[in-house]
Amino acid sequence: MQLDDLYRRVIMDHYKNPRNRGTLEDEAVTINLNNPTCGDRISLQLQVVDGKVVDAKFTGEGCSISMSSASMMTEAVKGQSFDSAIQMAEKFSALMKGEPVEFEENEDIEALSGVNKFPARIKCATLAWNALRKGIENQNKE
Ligand code: FES
Ligand code: FES
């Protein structure tokens, strides 16, 4: 896979020094998701208060793309309302379609733009975002 050097460095930094890796102590929403193509998994925990994601942590095993994406996503989503978090997830889908989008919430996410040419890698990068969507959808149903 060919990625721009700078982008590669950002991704590897999140992979080697993941932000928000771990578990939340207080009652948190937990979403477990697998990437069906490889079996890699993520467990995302969200602490939600009044329609807001106040904290987010994750554990799991996966490739550098999936784990770095989880690190970036959890950074970006902390403090966001459900609506803004879903908007960000939509923006991420657009990024994966090759559209030029900016993430002012966390510019590091833009480093994943290069994976859009690799369908299997798109699944890796989107795993954490799908977990986020699922967690928020479950909340909205309650
Ligand atoms: Fe390139 Fe997994 S990160 S193959
Ligand atoms: Fe499994 Fe990337 S190869 S999540």
Side-chain angles (χ1 to χ4, degrees), residues 2-74:
Q2 285 292 4
L3 286 182
D4 180 281
D5 258 10
L6 169 67
Y7 282 177
R8 187 187 297 273
R9 273 203 296 276
V10 174
I11 291 167
M12 287 318 284
D13 177 50
H14 277 272
Y15 181 57
K16 290 187 178 146
N17 311 295
R19 295 18 158 210
N20 311 306
R21 191 170 176 100
T23 49
L24 291 170
E25 306 225 327
D26 297 329
E27 269 187 52
V29 182
T30 304
I31 310 100
N32 297 306
L33 218 57
N34 289 323
N35 180 346
T37 53
C38 63
D40 288 344
R41 53 167 204 94
I42 184 174
S43 177
L44 174 68
Q45 281 195 303
L46 303 174
Q47 196 180 344
V48 298
V49 179
D50 296 336
K52 238 184 173 183
V53 179
V54 294
D55 206 356
K57 282 197 187 292
F58 76 98
T59 55
E61 282 108 48
C63 66
S64 56
I65 298 290
S66 68
M67 293 295 110
S68 64
S69 184
S71 168
M72 295 171 190
M73 182 279 287
T74 48

Side-chain angles (χ1 to χ4, degrees), residues 54-103:
V54 294
D55 206 356
K57 282 197 187 292
F58 76 98
T59 55
E61 282 108 48
C63 66
S64 56
I65 298 290
S66 68
M67 293 295 110
S68 64
S69 184
S71 168
M72 295 171 190
M73 182 279 287
T74 48
E75 276 293 269
V77 88
K78 276 195 278 181
Q80 302 283 343
S81 68
F82 289 171
D83 284 352
S84 324
I86 292 294
Q87 271 170 27
M88 241 189 285
E90 298 289 340
K91 216 156 54 155
F92 191 77
S93 300
L95 187 77
M96 291 297 106
K97 290 188 188 121
E99 292 169 27
V101 282
E102 286 178 12
F103 281 86

